[in-house]
Amino acid sequence: MHLAYPAVLAVLLFCTGLYGVLARRNTILVLMSVELMLNAVNLNLVAFDVWLRDTLHSGQALTLFTIAVAAAEIGIGLAIVLAVHRDRGSSGSSGIDRLRDTAETDEAEELPDDVYADDTTDGARPTADQAAAPAGKAQKAEATA
């Protein structure tokens, strides 16, 4: 068998996965598209391993490693998607964007600029927990409600 057949199939799989990653908003479909891209890489690794007649079978060993990484990625990715779905009620990528925006605003609100004013009596700076206690607890209570 020629090397061109699996290479063309791998290119088609990779392009389909790339389109899915770039065009889809659903997180599950994006994860499935990443899996298509990894399968295209696996197909190339095995095809080149057979074509080069490698005695160590390096391509097949790398394919097993890639499959293990893909399984871990799917496990962690699905756990994050389920956590976002339980918390926000939707599994779209906009929910994850809102989580990022919420984390950025929480970090900005935890340490206000006027915390380090020189009006402390002993010159000691308050810790981040002491500075963020009044504003942070109210914000977190509103976010969880």
Side-chain angles (χ1 to χ4, degrees):
M1 178 166 72
H2 295 286
L3 183 63
Y5 297 131
V8 168
L9 181 61
V11 166
L12 290 174
L13 278 174
F14 193 85
C15 289
T16 304
L18 186 64
Y19 172 75
V21 167
L22 295 176
R24 301 292 178 192
R25 302 273 308 161
N26 189 349
T27 312
I28 303 276
L29 292 177
V30 170
L31 288 173
M32 289 174 61
S33 299
V34 170
E35 287 297 318
L36 274 177
M37 293 166 63
L38 287 173
N39 284 334
V41 170
N42 289 340
L43 182 63
N44 269 335
L45 285 171
V46 171
F48 277 98
D49 182 48
V50 169
W51 184 63
L52 293 174
R53 301 181 202 278
D54 187 17
T55 57
L56 295 176
H57 300 292
S58 308
Q60 294 177 19
L62 284 173
T63 298
L64 289 175
F65 180 71
T66 306
I67 290 171
V69 169
E73 176 250 337
I74 282 296
I76 292 171
L78 284 177
I80 291 171
V81 168
L82 287 174
V84 169
H85 182 69
R86 285 183 187 156
D87 188 44
R88 303 286 178 175
S90 75
S91 63
S93 60
S94 62
I96 296 174
D97 291 341
R98 284 187 291 171
L99 282 178
R100 183 195 63 217
D101 295 340
T102 304
E104 289 174 355
T105 56
D106 285 346
E107 288 174 3
E109 290 174 0
E110 283 181 8
L111 296 174
D113 293 333
D114 60 342
V115 168
Y116 299 119
D118 291 328
D119 59 357
T120 56
T121 56
D122 59 353
R125 294 178 133 181
T127 63
D129 293 335
Q130 293 169 344
K137 287 182 183 177
Q139 295 291 334
K140 290 178 184 174
E142 290 176 348
T144 57

